[in-house]
């Protein structure tokens, strides 16, 4: 009897086969898109965010093992969800203190297919909202709430979150680990709270939604400039909050801001996915329906406000100025600069001040903007922030100081983690040679 080969067949993708690399990348992309909903659904079952994330990652490992052999399923997201849920049921069965949950939930899950994705683009799985509010529980520090939710809901890596916070990676990693441990030991309920408790978490929830949208709007790292899925999830969450909390002006204001920002998405990239700067965008590609929604939400924010406008109301007003300008030259930069001045007073930060410098440079001239930027040079939080030298390079170029501008663009490119953005910056530097 002749022995049969036991190794992979010649047609099987091997680790060094480009097909294997492409498939692994595809699996990881699907997981990144689907993981927030998977983790949210698992958290509802096992009542522990840390365990839910581990179960979701187990499903990813199973996909990496099985899909190269069996092929990618017709509905990859449903496959990952079903695999993760079965593992959750197995975990429940193994733990005596989950016996009641097994009787009520576990047996039905064995025979029930995972739910389909909502057909209505404005619909959203309530578990996602529960996940946001749970991760934003007041037992956690504000920094930990935001980092944990960006990790779970946004699917961001520790590196990306650190970049968003302008904070060292080890600090972010520790925050996330401690946050999951705290939620588990404190037995925090997986729910959307009501009344004063909901209001207490609202600020962190809004910040998280905003940061998730920003990561989708201008990806921190990777080969793609946009991550539309993150923008869509953030915008859906903001709209849901608007309906849940109709008397909260900052909820409407954040929704308005995201509507305005999302309206520009189609014009923000060129045919090959390259970034297109605001001044070069074809404004006919801006989505007028989203702009109209942004205006309506801003009116609601104004109508419900009882005092000075909050940070999101001011940012939405700035976005509205851009939306009302049919050409770049029509932009009301003086009003935008004034609004940034109010925002800097209301919510001071180096990034806000950098944005104010751009607006001032457009309203009063590049020299005035450069003075503000140079005053930010010693800010520790902006030391590795690529947009600081990028803005400085732009202002120097407008002042005719081409050699200095080129150096700044090269420095900005060296700090940028997104490949598309790096190419844009290097192209601007080459244009000044």
């Amino acid at each position: 009897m002749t022995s049969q080969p036991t190794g992979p067949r010649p047609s099987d993708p091997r680790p060094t086969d480009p097909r294997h690399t492409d498939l692994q990348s595809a699996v990881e992309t699907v997981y990144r898109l689907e993981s927030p909903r998977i983790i949210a659904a698992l958290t509802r079952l096992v009542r522990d965010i840390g365990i839910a994330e581990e179960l979701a990652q187990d499903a990813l490992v199973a996909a990496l093992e099985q899909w190269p052999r069996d092929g990618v399923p017709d509905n990859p997201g449903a496959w990952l969800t079903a695999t993760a849920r079965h593992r959750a049921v197995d975990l429940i069965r193994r733990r005596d203190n989950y016996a009641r949950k097994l009787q009520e939930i576990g047996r039905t899950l064995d025979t029930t297919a995972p739910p389909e994705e909502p057909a209505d683009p404005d619909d959203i799985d309530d578990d996602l909202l529960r996940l946001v509010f749970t991760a934003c529980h007041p037992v956690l520090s504000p920094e930990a709430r935001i980092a944990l939710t960006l990790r779970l809901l946004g699917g961001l890596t520790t590196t990306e979150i650190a970049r968003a916070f302008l904070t060292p990676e080890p600090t972010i990693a520790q925050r996330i680990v401690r946050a999951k441990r705290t939620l588990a030991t404190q037995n925090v309920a997986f729910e959307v709270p009501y009344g004063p408790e909901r209001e207490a978490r609202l600020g962190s929830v809004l910040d998280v939604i905003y940061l998730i949208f920003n990561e989708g709007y201008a990806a921190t790292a990777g080969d793609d400039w946009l991550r539309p899925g993150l923008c869509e999830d953030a915008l859906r969450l903001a709209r849901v909050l608007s309906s849940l909390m109709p008397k909260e002006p900052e909820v409407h204001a954040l929704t308005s801001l995201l509507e305005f920002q999302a309206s520009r998405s189609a014009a923000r990239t060129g045919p090959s996915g390259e970034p297109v700067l605001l001044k070069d965008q074809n404004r006919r590609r801006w989505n007028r329906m989203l702009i109209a929604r942004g205006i309506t939400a801003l009116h609601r924010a104004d109508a419900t406000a009882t005092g000075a406008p909050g940070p999101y109301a001011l940012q939405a007003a700035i976005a509205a100025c851009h939306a009302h300008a049919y050409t770049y030259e029509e932009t009301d930069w003086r009003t935008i600069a004034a609004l940034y001045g109010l925002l800097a007073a209301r919510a001071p930060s180096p990034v806000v001040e950098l944005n104010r410098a751009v607006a001032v440079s457009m309203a009063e001239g590049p020299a005035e903007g450069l003075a503000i930027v140079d005053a930010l040079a010693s800010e520790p939080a902006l030391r590795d922030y690529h947009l600081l030298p990028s803005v400085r390079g732009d202002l120097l170029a407008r002042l005719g100081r081409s050699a200095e501008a080129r150096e700044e663009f090269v420095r900005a490119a060296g700090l940028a983690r997104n490949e598309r953005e790096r190419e844009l910056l290097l192209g601007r530097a080459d244009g000044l040679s």
Side-chain angles (χ1 to χ4, degrees):
M1 178 182 293
T2 59
S3 61
Q4 298 296 318
T6 58
R9 296 185 300 273
S11 59
D12 289 339
R14 298 172 182 266
T16 56
D17 190 324
R19 290 174 297 168
H20 178 90
T21 302
D22 291 344
L23 183 56
Q24 180 174 345
S25 177
V27 173
E28 292 172 351
T29 298
V30 171
Y31 177 79
R32 189 159 190 166
L33 292 172
E34 300 293 338
S35 62
R37 289 181 175 83
I38 297 172
I39 293 170
L42 294 174
T43 302
R44 176 162 46 83
L45 297 180
V46 301
R47 303 290 171 175
D48 187 305
I49 285 177
I51 292 175
E53 187 179 19
E54 291 175 4
L55 290 168
Q57 291 171 348
D58 285 346
L60 170 64
V61 172
L64 290 171
E65 292 174 348
Q66 296 182 37
W67 292 5
R69 181 186 68 234
D70 302 334
V72 178
D74 293 337
N75 190 334
W79 190 98
L80 286 169
T81 300
T83 300
R85 287 189 178 201
H86 286 310
R87 289 172 186 261
V89 171
D90 289 341
L91 176 64
I92 292 171
R93 284 174 172 158
R94 290 197 303 267
R95 295 170 60 171
D96 292 338
N97 61 326
Y98 280 111
R100 181 181 58 81
K101 295 182 181 180
L102 174 61
Q103 293 174 0
E104 297 176 355
I105 299 172
R107 287 172 183 159
T108 61
L109 286 174
D110 279 338
T111 57
T112 302
E116 295 294 327
E117 288 296 308
D120 184 348
D122 286 335
D123 196 7
I124 189 169
D125 186 353
D126 288 340
D127 284 341
L128 283 178
L129 203 56
R130 294 188 187 102
L131 182 61
V132 176
F133 273 95
T134 301
C136 290
H137 196 282
V139 297
L140 304 178
S141 69
E143 296 82 5
R145 298 174 207 169
I146 295 173
L148 179 61
T149 313
L150 287 173
R151 170 72 175 173
L152 298 177
L153 186 72
L156 274 64
T157 65
T158 303
T159 300
E160 291 168 340
I161 299 170
R163 190 73 170 177
F165 274 123
L166 305 178
T167 302
E169 288 184 40
T171 301
I172 295 298
Q174 290 174 3
R175 285 179 188 171
I176 293 172
V177 170
R178 290 171 182 166
K180 289 190 286 190
R181 185 185 304 127
T182 299
L183 291 176
T185 57
Q186 295 291 323
N187 294 317
V188 172
F190 183 64
E191 63 180 4
V192 176
Y194 295 90
E197 190 176 354
R198 180 187 291 175
E199 294 175 7
R201 302 190 206 179
L202 183 59
S204 291
V205 170
L206 295 181
D207 290 344
V208 164
I209 293 173
Y210 178 62
L211 288 173
I212 290 172
F213 183 91
N214 279 352
E215 180 60 29
Y217 194 67
T220 301
D223 297 328
D224 296 321
W225 174 237
L226 300 179
R227 294 175 59 189
L230 289 182
C231 291
E232 291 167 6
D233 275 344
L235 186 51
R236 289 175 188 172
L237 286 169
R239 290 171 178 169
V240 169
L241 279 181
S242 289
S243 64
L244 279 175
M245 310 183 75
K247 296 182 180 180
E248 288 290 340
E250 279 291 84
V251 173
H252 294 304
L254 176 63
T255 304
S256 171
L257 174 61
L258 301 193
E259 300 278 13
F260 283 133
Q261 298 293 78
S263 72
R264 306 179 204 164
S265 295
R268 295 189 69 246
T269 55
S272 302
E274 69 277 11
V276 178
L277 297 175
L278 179 63
K279 65 183 178 65
D280 299 322
Q281 289 175 17
N282 179 357
R283 300 193 177 207
R284 288 175 294 181
R285 299 189 67 196
W286 287 10
N287 189 316
R288 306 313 298 185
M289 183 191 72
L290 292 179
I291 289 175
R293 294 185 68 141
I295 293 171
T296 299
L298 187 54
H299 286 329
R300 288 175 182 156
D302 291 339
T304 53
T306 56
Y312 289 117
L314 292 169
Q315 291 181 73
I318 291 168
C321 288
H322 289 294
H324 285 305
Y326 283 91
T327 66
Y328 185 74
E329 291 71 25
E330 294 176 17
T331 307
D332 186 354
W333 288 108
R334 290 195 177 278
T335 296
I336 292 175
L339 288 168
Y340 268 120
L342 293 174
L343 181 60
R346 182 76 170 78
S349 83
V351 174
V352 169
E353 194 66 6
L354 183 61
N355 287 327
R356 187 176 77 85
V358 174
V360 168
S361 77
M362 298 303 298
E364 302 177 19
E368 286 73 10
L370 184 61
I372 299 172
V373 171
D374 286 344
L376 294 170
S378 60
E379 281 285 345
L382 298 182
R383 182 180 57 189
D384 297 323
Y385 190 50
H386 69 286
L387 292 183
L388 178 65
S390 174
V391 169
R392 193 168 189 274
D394 182 70
L395 297 177
L396 289 168
R398 288 167 56 193
L399 288 168
R401 296 160 61 177
S402 299
E404 295 172 80
R406 185 180 187 281
E407 291 179 4
E408 291 297 310
F409 285 132
V410 170
R411 186 161 75 92
L415 294 172
R417 302 287 293 276
N418 183 279
E419 288 299 325
R420 295 292 191 174
E421 197 168 13
R422 184 181 292 121
E423 291 170 2
L424 173 68
L425 292 164
L426 290 175
R428 298 193 71 185
D430 291 341
L432 296 169
S433 300

